[in-house]
Amino acid sequence: MVTIRDVAKDSGFSSTTVSIVLNNAPLARYIPAVTKKRIEKSAKKLGYRPNLFARSLRSKRTHTVGAMVFDLTDPYCIPIFRGIESALYQASYLPILTDVHNDRARFERYLEMLLDRRVEALIVLANWLFVNIDVLGDLEKSSIPTVMIGQELENDSISSVTVDNELGGRLAIEHLHLLGHRKIAFIRGPKTLGDSAPRWKGIRSFAKANNLELDPHLIMDLPESRDPASSFESGFKLTDELVGRKHSFTALVAFDDMTAFGAIRALSQAGLRVPEDCSVIGFDDIAASALYTPALTTVSQPLEEMGKLAVGIVADGINCVLEKKTVPALHRKLAPELVVRSSTIKLR
Amino acid sequence: MVTIRDVAKDSGFSSTTVSIVLNNAPLARYIPAVTKKRIEKSAKKLGYRPNLFARSLRSKRTHTVGAMVFDLTDPYCIPIFRGIESALYQASYLPILTDVHNDRARFERYLEMLLDRRVEALIVLANWLFVNIDVLGDLEKSSIPTVMIGQELENDSISSVTVDNELGGRLAIEHLHLLGHRKIAFIRGPKTLGDSAPRWKGIRSFAKANNLELDPHLIMDLPESRDPASSFESGFKLTDELVGRKHSFTALVAFDDMTAFGAIRALSQAGLRVPEDCSVIGFDDIAASALYTPALTTVSQPLEEMGKLAVGIVADGINCVLEKKTVPALHRKLAPELVVRSSTIKLR
DNA sequence: TCCCGAAGTTCGATTTAAATG
DNA sequence: GCATTTAAATCGAACTTCGGG
């Protein structure tokens, strides 16, 4: 490996000067253009690449951000990570992505590894997370700018980026209501999942305001599970059960897109066509939803935006730290959007 | 931050001794148990964590492996990366994942960044890659153990892990043939994509051996595109075109699962039911395939296995480098498996 | 004081060579 | 020579200080 000293020797200057020139440090303005030229030529000729370890050891900077995902196989994560990656790339940061596998020990281990590697900030993608409280403690201790995506936080040391679940719930029910549906089935999220309650609240308040009666026999809850893919399975089973009951319905609101896929499978097996016999609406707008047949109507989360926003927040946080200012925790809640495709239809 | 000197001071020994003890270096066998105890106690008490940058600067090791994916939104990548991540985690390596976005400049930039961070090996996931040749050159220069997943390589400095595409093609056609289908449509991969030719070869050789006639009017090719998601769109269009032709068919072999999804959409819009009116088989077995309605019959690639295998290869490579042995390039080709689900059915 | 450049210290660990009893 | 411990050199870059014109 070629070091700064090799460049110094080759160019005929000291390593100090080389360092100043190549980093364009403040002192560089005193150095004549000829000197700079010679040094830069030598550096290029030798293919000099500064050793990041030596540099970081001295400067305390790493230009690295840690990203922790609770379950990467959850399709919901991918667009978010894309957003994170794109924004960091533009800012010349490198993300280190870790997949926690929904496992507490793995979370702690990875957190330790990231902190050991001196990541300058942390972005936590808390999808399908049930262990929220204790994780927060670990994160607060880390004392670097941290933002959590997907959990409605009111913490004042950890920032958050979330979607307005209540609004999302309302958008879903409103859409079906406008299409004329009155007998609507619901598969709600697991009770212990943070997203579940606000989505339901949005639905209930719309129903109340519009004199829409919610039949308790048509309301089901997803069970708790470590695996986000399980919502497909559960969506299938619960819908199957709903179909078997004597209370008929013309539309179904699924907790998320995976659940909706399971519901569609169940309806289809029961000989019911979607959307002709039953409309189905999901939540999230994962990539597969547009490819499904029928294409899924869903409440779309601005996933990539959320990732980018999170990067913006931690980037500001890093600057605050550099200037030794205190880092304010921000809480951004984004509006979801209704995406109408082919799985919902006007009631005849 | 607490340094090794703090531990030295607290325990009453020199930093040398502390280093020897905490790393369990060879010399540690001369150090009496009492000393070790005291040092370890101090370290724990102070919460000492060695500075990885200082350590790497000296030792030249980073316990980091670079992973480059050409397009992370391709669902095919996720299980592979899971395999990579799991295997590396067990070996106490950290992956640094970069998403090249199918962009040459981004590839070069990320490669540079990874090399600057002294990754000890490189795993390249060449999904949906059209720029193979020139990329190889860059990789060969890097002079660290490198393995490419998804490209059939016969390179002797870069290892590879691939699936047996020819066998996969045969499995697909054989399955349909056994179900009684004789009028079969094909959507082949883009000509410039490495996987396309061998899959077709597998199909053709089976057809020849079994006197199955392949109607040229029923054979279509996916166009080239930077975007793997485009195969859905193209699958839709090409199938639509096939349906419009006067040559009927009872089954369709899609290049991959995305293409199959597009085909199913087109068939469905044409009023044809899958599988009753037309069977459809895909390739890859991405996560969504099991969730589709109908569940997709497909040729399954052992994606997670491939990731783990790649890690095994580079891990051996790293050891070779450490022992200054030459690193042999390995080429492993794994057998795909037919997964029969609901999108194919016996011809009545 | 301004301009240009270099010597020497520092970051935090590992490792070699050497000093003790 | 042996067991036990350590001073000092080293890794590669950045920064502080200083000197000469």
Side-chain angles (χ1 to χ4, degrees), chain A residues 22-256:
Chain A
L22 295 183
N23 291 304
N24 201 14
L27 281 174
R29 83 197 139 92
Y30 295 131
I31 293 177
V34 257
T35 305
K36 291 184 180 172
K37 281 263 157 56
R38 282 211 345 241
I39 289 178
E40 275 153 8
K41 226 180 71 183
S42 285
K44 175 167 281 180
K45 191 182 78 186
L46 301 178
Y48 170 67
R49 304 239 89 213
N51 182 313
L52 291 192
F53 292 90
R55 173 178 283 184
S56 293
L57 182 57
R58 192 70 236 249
S59 69
K60 307 295 186 207
R61 300 218 47 191
T62 60
H63 294 279
T64 305
V65 168
M68 307 186 79
V69 170
F70 269 79
D71 189 333
L72 194 66
T73 61
D74 186 348
Y76 160 89
C77 295
I78 307 301
I80 297 184
F81 181 70
R82 256 274 166 125
I84 293 174
E85 187 263 348
S86 296
L88 287 177
Y89 182 78
Q90 290 199 325
S92 282
Y93 278 83
L94 194 67
I96 297 188
L97 175 68
T98 60
D99 180 355
V100 174
H101 292 209
N102 257 307
D103 178 61
R104 170 128 193 94
R106 213 179 178 99
F107 172 81
E108 282 170 2
R109 179 84 200 286
Y110 270 137
L111 181 57
E112 213 167 53
M113 288 172 95
L114 291 175
L115 262 20
D116 277 350
R117 279 160 209 257
R118 303 287 194 276
V119 295
E120 299 188 35
L122 226 36
I123 299 178
V124 180
L125 221 163
N127 65 309
W128 208 254
L129 174 66
F130 294 105
V131 282
N132 27 22
I133 315 291
D134 28 350
V135 163
L136 275 182
D138 285 6
L139 289 177
E140 282 178 324
K141 271 186 299 190
S142 73
S143 76
I144 51 176
T146 301
V147 54
M148 199 140 174
I149 300 181
Q151 281 273 313
E152 307 198 5
L153 243 49
E154 306 201 15
N155 188 296
D156 48 61
S157 71
I158 296 176
S159 299
S160 67
V161 174
T162 51
V163 77
D164 189 335
N165 278 305
E166 193 174 334
L167 171 57
R170 184 162 72 247
L171 289 175
I173 187 79
E174 183 180 48
H175 171 63
L176 294 177
H177 190 258
L178 281 171
L179 290 178
H181 295 279
R182 293 300 178 268
K183 291 189 288 184
I184 303 174
F186 300 89
I187 299 180
R188 302 188 293 195
K191 287 206 181 61
T192 41
L193 195 64
D195 296 324
S196 304
R199 286 189 199 172
W200 181 243
K201 189 177 169 200
I203 290 172
R204 232 184 18 201
S205 68
F206 177 90
K208 191 171 225 170
N210 293 273
N211 290 317
L212 176 66
E213 205 177 319
L214 303 181
D215 182 349
H217 294 96
L218 293 179
I219 300 172
M220 311 292 266
D221 290 304
L222 288 176
E224 218 175 282
S225 159
R226 292 223 156 277
D227 180 12
S230 74
S231 60
F232 173 83
E233 205 61 51
S234 302
F236 177 81
K237 283 208 193 97
L238 295 176
T239 304
D240 198 48
E241 212 177 304
L242 280 168
V243 168
R245 294 184 180 174
K246 288 292 150 272
H247 297 250
S248 70
F249 53 96
T250 64
L252 186 152
V253 177
F255 173 64
D256 63 11

Side-chain angles (χ1 to χ4, degrees), chain B residues 164-200:
Chain B
D164 189 335
N165 278 306
E166 192 173 335
L167 171 57
R170 185 163 72 247
L171 289 174
I173 187 77
E174 182 180 49
H175 170 63
L176 295 176
H177 190 258
L178 280 172
L179 290 178
H181 294 279
R182 293 300 178 267
K183 292 190 288 184
I184 303 174
F186 300 89
I187 299 181
R188 301 188 294 195
K191 287 206 182 62
T192 41
L193 195 63
D195 296 323
S196 304
R199 286 189 200 171
W200 182 244

Side-chain angles (χ1 to χ4, degrees), chain B residues 124-153:
Chain B
V124 180
L125 221 163
N127 64 308
W128 209 254
L129 174 66
F130 294 103
V131 282
N132 28 22
I133 315 290
D134 27 349
V135 162
L136 276 181
D138 285 6
L139 289 176
E140 280 177 325
K141 271 186 297 188
S142 73
S143 76
I144 51 176
T146 301
V147 54
M148 200 141 175
I149 300 180
Q151 281 275 314
E152 308 198 6
L153 243 49

Side-chain angles (χ1 to χ4, degrees), chain B residues 40-206:
Chain B
E40 275 153 9
K41 225 179 70 185
S42 285
K44 175 167 279 180
K45 190 182 77 186
L46 301 179
Y48 169 66
R49 305 236 90 213
N51 182 313
L52 291 192
F53 292 89
R55 173 178 282 181
S56 293
L57 182 56
R58 196 59 235 232
S59 69
K60 307 296 186 205
R61 300 218 47 192
T62 60
H63 293 279
T64 304
V65 168
M68 308 186 78
V69 170
F70 269 80
D71 189 333
L72 193 65
T73 61
D74 186 348
Y76 161 89
C77 296
I78 307 300
I80 297 183
F81 181 69
R82 254 275 164 124
I84 293 174
E85 188 263 348
S86 296
L88 286 177
Y89 183 78
Q90 290 198 325
S92 282
Y93 278 84
L94 194 67
I96 297 188
L97 175 66
T98 60
D99 180 355
V100 174
H101 292 208
N102 257 307
D103 179 61
R104 170 130 194 93
R106 213 178 178 100
F107 171 82
E108 281 170 2
R109 178 85 200 285
Y110 269 138
L111 181 57
E112 213 168 52
M113 288 173 94
L114 291 174
L115 262 20
D116 277 350
R117 278 159 210 259
R118 302 288 194 277
V119 295
E120 299 188 36
L122 226 37
I123 299 178
V124 180
L125 221 163
N127 64 308
W128 209 254
L129 174 66
F130 294 103
V131 282
N132 28 22
I133 315 290
D134 27 349
V135 162
L136 276 181
D138 285 6
L139 289 176
E140 280 177 325
K141 271 186 297 188
S142 73
S143 76
I144 51 176
T146 301
V147 54
M148 200 141 175
I149 300 180
Q151 281 275 314
E152 308 198 6
L153 243 49
E154 306 201 14
N155 188 296
D156 48 60
S157 72
I158 296 176
S159 299
S160 67
V161 174
T162 51
V163 76
D164 189 335
N165 278 306
E166 192 173 335
L167 171 57
R170 185 163 72 247
L171 289 174
I173 187 77
E174 182 180 49
H175 170 63
L176 295 176
H177 190 258
L178 280 172
L179 290 178
H181 294 279
R182 293 300 178 267
K183 292 190 288 184
I184 303 174
F186 300 89
I187 299 181
R188 301 188 294 195
K191 287 206 182 62
T192 41
L193 195 63
D195 296 323
S196 304
R199 286 189 200 171
W200 182 244
K201 189 176 170 202
I203 290 171
R204 232 184 18 202
S205 68
F206 177 90

